[in-house]
Amino acid sequence: MESLTEETGTLRRRVLSPTIVLLAGFGATILLGTSLLMLPVMVDEGRISLINALFTATSAVCVTGLVVVDTGTYFSPVGQWTILLLIQIGALGIFTFSTFFVLILRGDTSLRGRMLIQETMTHFPYRNLFRLVRNILLFTFVTEAIGAILLWLCFREYFSQTRSGYVAIFHSISAFCNAGFSILPSGLEDFSAHVPINLIVMSLIIVGGLGFTVLTDVVAILLPHKTKFRRLSLHSRVVLMSTIALIAGGAVLFWLFELNNPAFAGRPISQQILVSFFQSVTARTAGFNTISIAGVTNATLFLLIFLMFVGASPGSVGGGIKTTTFSIYLIMVISYLRGKQHVEIFGRTIPARIISKAVATTAMAFALIVGSTILLLVFESGNGGNFSHLFFIDWLFEVVSAFGTVGLSTGVTSYLSPGSKLVIIATMFIGRLGPLGLALSLLGRELEQRYKYPEENVMIG
């Protein structure tokens, strides 16, 4: 009887694990969104097909931004607001409340419960769960409101008062949630030289991609304290360091790779710099673009693939393997090449389990991308007439964009076959949840081994 009780408790813990709740929450929201988008009132003319409704709902809930139909012209105002609501729910609603509901359902307010929410949403213990949820939602809505007001002041030059307000609200939420959806015919390409709009959108993307933990840390440092001096946590320092390096490095490389592109080189140097920085920021997970992605060089496409693969930071609304994973992986390689036995950064040693998780996350992501790309090539092999001008990098770009929940595309999304659309849907879904966390929740929890087999060397390299 005791064994049965233990097994039941273990099963209950697995069923109510944060990732399982996220899986169920995302799945249910996507299905609800799909059903709503198929209503006649959601589109201007006719009805959207089931596969396209499912694709759009998944892209919105997973804050990706890949679209099979134009959001601004195909959907009615009701449909556009529905998509915006799905974006907001997918970015923060499920993320914020999932772990909280787990603790409520389990009645777990113990140290183990606080550690559970610590691993899921922050890297530090948080005693008042209601305050945590309130702070996240308050910060989100305030930031989006400020972004909407600033964008409204800019868009008034081009649209009526009502239209400019609507466009500002839509793009502010889409930018902060790193969704990349736009209701403008050419996205933000017409505003590639508008400095304020670019800076506002980039700021929203960066803030949304840093994560609540880092933002809390930064605010705590900036606010005056009567106690002793506070410093940024190791997590925040790694996130900020990697974010700055990726944005700056990506912008410089983008500019260098596009100098031989007439569509880019013909711009004034100030516009070149602005476009380069915007694409470096947005490629990490947002999906907006101020230049046609189909017209960039292959070297630039590969650079964007790398940035999309890395993605945003843990605890944020973005996807990818995350900046911390990439940083730890890179530091691990450098440490090995320098002959060090431990992985160290900023005077701290990274635990072996964190290094193993970084390696496993990267490997799982790579496997998912390889598998999805192969399936895409198989499904589209019979459509040579439609895609004869495409190269392998175009298909790889589409898959990595889906995995990183970015939304950038070379223009093939709307022409994909139903099988390929299902592949992209699955890739967006797994990419949003995280392939490693999803696999651990479905296959089993991490076990504490109390034994160790004898060691024996294996040749590597």
Side-chain angles (χ1 to χ4, degrees), residues 255-379:
W255 180 73
L256 290 175
F257 293 161
E258 288 297 300
L259 281 179
N260 294 326
N261 187 347
F264 180 83
R267 298 169 178 261
I269 185 65
S270 58
Q271 287 189 28
Q272 293 179 10
I273 295 174
L274 187 62
V275 168
S276 298
F277 270 97
F278 188 93
Q279 292 308 138
S280 180
V281 169
T282 190
R284 296 240 328 284
T285 186
F288 289 109
N289 58 287
T290 55
I291 189 173
S292 174
I293 301 300
V296 301
T297 64
N298 285 336
T300 302
L301 284 180
F302 201 82
L303 169 65
L304 297 178
I305 287 174
F306 166 73
L307 294 175
M308 293 189 298
F309 181 75
V310 174
S313 302
S316 71
V317 296
I321 63 172
K322 305 297 188 293
T323 53
T324 50
T325 302
F326 168 72
S327 298
I328 291 175
Y329 198 96
L330 181 62
I331 295 168
M332 177 192 69
V333 173
I334 295 175
S335 298
Y336 174 79
L337 294 177
R338 296 177 64 181
K340 291 187 175 182
Q341 296 182 350
H342 304 287
V343 177
E344 303 167 346
I345 182 172
F346 296 127
R348 295 292 186 270
T349 300
I350 305 298
R353 62 181 180 85
I354 299 299
I355 299 173
S356 299
K357 186 175 181 180
V359 173
T361 299
T362 305
M364 291 286 291
F366 182 77
L368 172 65
I369 290 172
V370 170
S372 298
T373 304
I374 291 174
L375 289 176
L376 221 63
L377 293 172
V378 170
F379 285 129

Side-chain angles (χ1 to χ4, degrees), residues 99-173:
T99 304
F100 180 71
F101 285 156
V102 168
L103 298 179
I104 293 297
L105 290 172
R106 294 172 58 177
D108 193 348
T109 56
S110 62
L111 175 61
R112 186 179 183 280
R114 290 195 296 271
M115 290 179 64
L116 182 62
I117 198 169
Q118 170 186 337
E119 290 185 4
T120 306
M121 302 177 69
T122 67
H123 72 286
F124 53 85
Y126 215 101
R127 296 180 180 179
N128 194 321
L129 305 183
F130 289 99
R131 182 179 298 174
L132 173 61
V133 172
R134 183 198 65 187
N135 289 345
I136 292 176
L137 295 178
L138 181 62
F139 178 83
T140 298
F141 296 143
V142 169
T143 304
E144 291 175 346
I146 294 174
I149 293 173
L150 294 177
L151 287 175
W152 171 69
L153 295 175
C154 297
F155 284 131
R156 286 192 307 169
E157 304 175 26
Y158 307 94
F159 308 106
S160 64
Q161 294 287 346
T162 304
R163 177 66 176 172
S164 60
Y166 175 51
V167 172
I169 293 173
F170 193 99
H171 285 83
S172 178
I173 295 176

Side-chain angles (χ1 to χ4, degrees), residues 26-208:
F26 270 96
T29 307
I30 288 172
L31 292 179
L32 176 61
T34 302
S35 302
L36 291 175
L37 291 178
M38 293 189 68
L39 296 175
V41 71
M42 295 294 173
V43 297
D44 283 331
E45 296 181 4
R47 297 187 65 176
I48 190 172
S49 65
L50 174 61
I51 186 66
N52 286 347
L54 177 62
F55 191 103
T56 304
T58 305
S59 183
V61 174
C62 296
V63 290
T64 303
L66 289 174
V67 294
V68 287
V69 293
D70 182 68
T71 308
T73 57
Y74 189 87
F75 291 99
S76 66
V78 177
Q80 294 171 14
W81 279 107
T82 302
I83 292 174
L84 195 61
L85 179 62
L86 292 175
I87 291 172
Q88 189 75 86
I89 293 174
L92 289 180
I94 299 172
F95 168 79
T96 302
F97 291 110
S98 59
T99 304
F100 180 71
F101 285 156
V102 168
L103 298 179
I104 293 297
L105 290 172
R106 294 172 58 177
D108 193 348
T109 56
S110 62
L111 175 61
R112 186 179 183 280
R114 290 195 296 271
M115 290 179 64
L116 182 62
I117 198 169
Q118 170 186 337
E119 290 185 4
T120 306
M121 302 177 69
T122 67
H123 72 286
F124 53 85
Y126 215 101
R127 296 180 180 179
N128 194 321
L129 305 183
F130 289 99
R131 182 179 298 174
L132 173 61
V133 172
R134 183 198 65 187
N135 289 345
I136 292 176
L137 295 178
L138 181 62
F139 178 83
T140 298
F141 296 143
V142 169
T143 304
E144 291 175 346
I146 294 174
I149 293 173
L150 294 177
L151 287 175
W152 171 69
L153 295 175
C154 297
F155 284 131
R156 286 192 307 169
E157 304 175 26
Y158 307 94
F159 308 106
S160 64
Q161 294 287 346
T162 304
R163 177 66 176 172
S164 60
Y166 175 51
V167 172
I169 293 173
F170 193 99
H171 285 83
S172 178
I173 295 176
S174 185
F176 178 81
C177 295
N178 285 207
F181 276 85
S182 176
I183 55 175
L184 299 176
S186 56
L188 296 179
E189 290 186 35
D190 293 337
F191 304 96
S192 61
H194 198 293
V195 177
I197 290 178
N198 278 259
L199 293 179
I200 294 168
V201 173
M202 281 193 290
S203 299
L204 289 169
I205 293 171
I206 293 173
V207 172

